[in-house]
């Protein structure tokens, strides 16, 4: 079956614009995670969904960041009024439980 | 705040030269300790999950172990294709956050 997919693979935007990043998890996976990886840094946890619910949103860097998940499947990470420090690779992962996460290829976001 | 610290940051080995990567973590309340491999331009690939001190898991040339305060990823007789960044991560009972270390960049020279 298909793995986790993310779109777009690359996104270049201007400072101040809004962007939407999409994640399609593996079918049947109830858990979905978003991470951010900056150059030379580890993965920064952003948010976790169990089904459509996000019990803990405290990892989101600011109120410009929001995420939603619908139908227990697709998730969208939205960044409003993008800033240059938002430039990074945004990774999505899904799993049946917290144990083994399957990662997508990521979306590389560049804010000019 | 829960933490995961990996060392060394980078490691260069000759092909066949065995070594170990270290991961120290916040001990209190650990629920699971994870190891992943990440190749350039790709998402991390799951390797192992460890749950309790004394546990060991193996896959090909890799063996992960867990003690009461740290985890090790042992690589035996590595090959150039083992070159990658190895990431350690922890999950604690108090919340759902998975905290990753910054990784160890491993380079195996032929």
């Amino acid at each position: 079956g298909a793995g986790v997919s993310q779109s777009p693979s690359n996104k270049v935007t201007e400072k101040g614009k809004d962007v939407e990043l999409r994640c399609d998890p593996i079918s049947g996976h109830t858990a979905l995670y978003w991470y951010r990886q900056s150059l030379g840094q580890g993965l920064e946890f952003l948010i976790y969904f169990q089904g459509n619910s996000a019990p803990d949103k405290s990892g989101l860097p600011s109120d410009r960041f929001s995420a939603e998940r619908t139908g227990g499947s697709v998730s969208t990470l939205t960044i409003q009024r993008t800033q240059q420090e938002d430039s990074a690779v945004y990774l999505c992962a899904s799993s049946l439980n917290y144990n083994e996460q399957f990662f997508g290829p990521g979306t590389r976001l560049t804010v000019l | 705040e829960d933490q995961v610290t990996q060392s060394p940051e980078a490691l260069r080995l000759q092909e066949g030269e065995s070594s170990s990567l270290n991961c120290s973590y916040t001990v209190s309340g650990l629920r699971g300790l994870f190891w992943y491999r990440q190749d350039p331009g790709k998402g991390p690939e799951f390797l192992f999950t460890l749950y309790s001190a004394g546990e060991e898991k193996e896959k090909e040339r890799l063996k992960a172990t867990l003690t009461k305060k740290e985890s090790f990823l042992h690589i035996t007789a590595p090959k150039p294709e083992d070159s990658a960044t190895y990431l350690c991560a922890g999950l604690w009972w108090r919340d759902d956050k998975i905290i990753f270390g910054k990784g160890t960049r491993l380079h195996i020279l032929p």
Side-chain angles (χ1 to χ4, degrees):
Chain A
V4 177
S5 61
Q6 293 186 245
S7 60
S9 55
N10 281 285
K11 177 71 176 178
V12 180
T13 190
E14 293 179 349
K15 178 181 173 180
K17 300 280 190 182
D18 298 351
V19 296
E20 282 191 354
L21 312 180
R22 177 186 168 107
C23 173
D24 280 275
I26 292 173
S27 178
H29 280 192
T30 55
L32 187 147
Y33 302 80
W34 282 100
Y35 298 89
R36 178 169 71 174
Q37 188 170 34
S38 303
L39 189 63
Q41 300 296 310
L43 274 71
E44 176 189 3
F45 174 91
L46 297 179
I47 193 168
Y48 155 72
F49 287 91
Q50 180 60 43
N52 292 333
S53 300
D56 186 350
K57 300 181 180 180
S58 63
L60 295 175
S62 75
D63 58 8
R64 296 186 294 104
F65 287 72
S66 63
E68 65 175 12
R69 189 179 185 194
T70 56
S73 181
V74 172
S75 177
T76 302
L77 178 69
T78 301
I79 309 173
Q80 295 178 309
R81 305 181 302 282
T82 51
Q83 304 294 313
Q84 289 183 330
E85 60 262 30
D86 299 334
S87 296
V89 176
Y90 289 81
L91 289 159
C92 172
S94 71
S95 68
L96 282 173
N97 49 47
Y98 65 86
N99 187 0
E100 179 177 355
Q101 294 183 63
F102 294 84
F103 280 82
T107 293
R108 182 175 299 278
L109 175 66
T110 303
V111 182
L112 301 177
Chain B
E1 184 174 309
D2 297 316
Q3 291 185 333
V4 172
T5 303
Q6 293 187 245
S7 63
E9 290 186 10
L11 183 61
R12 293 165 67 92
L13 300 172
Q14 290 294 136
E15 184 173 0
E17 181 184 1
S18 300
S19 188
S20 296
L21 313 182
N22 178 270
C23 172
S24 61
Y25 58 89
T26 299
V27 173
S28 173
L30 184 75
R31 184 175 176 185
L33 189 291
F34 312 97
W35 283 97
Y36 285 82
R37 168 187 172 134
Q38 187 174 26
D39 292 298
K42 296 187 177 181
E45 175 187 350
F46 173 81
L47 293 173
F48 306 108
T49 304
L50 302 166
Y51 296 101
S52 56
E55 190 173 2
E56 297 184 352
K57 289 189 177 175
E58 287 189 64
K59 180 180 180 179
E60 296 181 355
R61 295 177 291 283
L62 298 175
K63 182 169 76 173
T65 62
L66 185 65
T67 73
K68 290 184 178 179
K69 62 177 183 176
E70 56 196 343
S71 178
F72 295 94
L73 184 66
H74 307 277
I75 182 161
T76 302
K79 299 180 178 181
E81 54 262 41
D82 295 322
S83 298
T85 296
Y86 290 86
L87 299 168
C88 175
L91 173 68
W92 290 261
W93 285 104
R94 51 187 143 268
D95 58 33
D96 297 310
K97 292 181 181 177
I98 296 180
I99 307 297
F100 277 80
K102 293 186 177 181
T104 294
R105 294 188 312 278
L106 179 64
H107 185 50
I108 308 299
L109 302 167

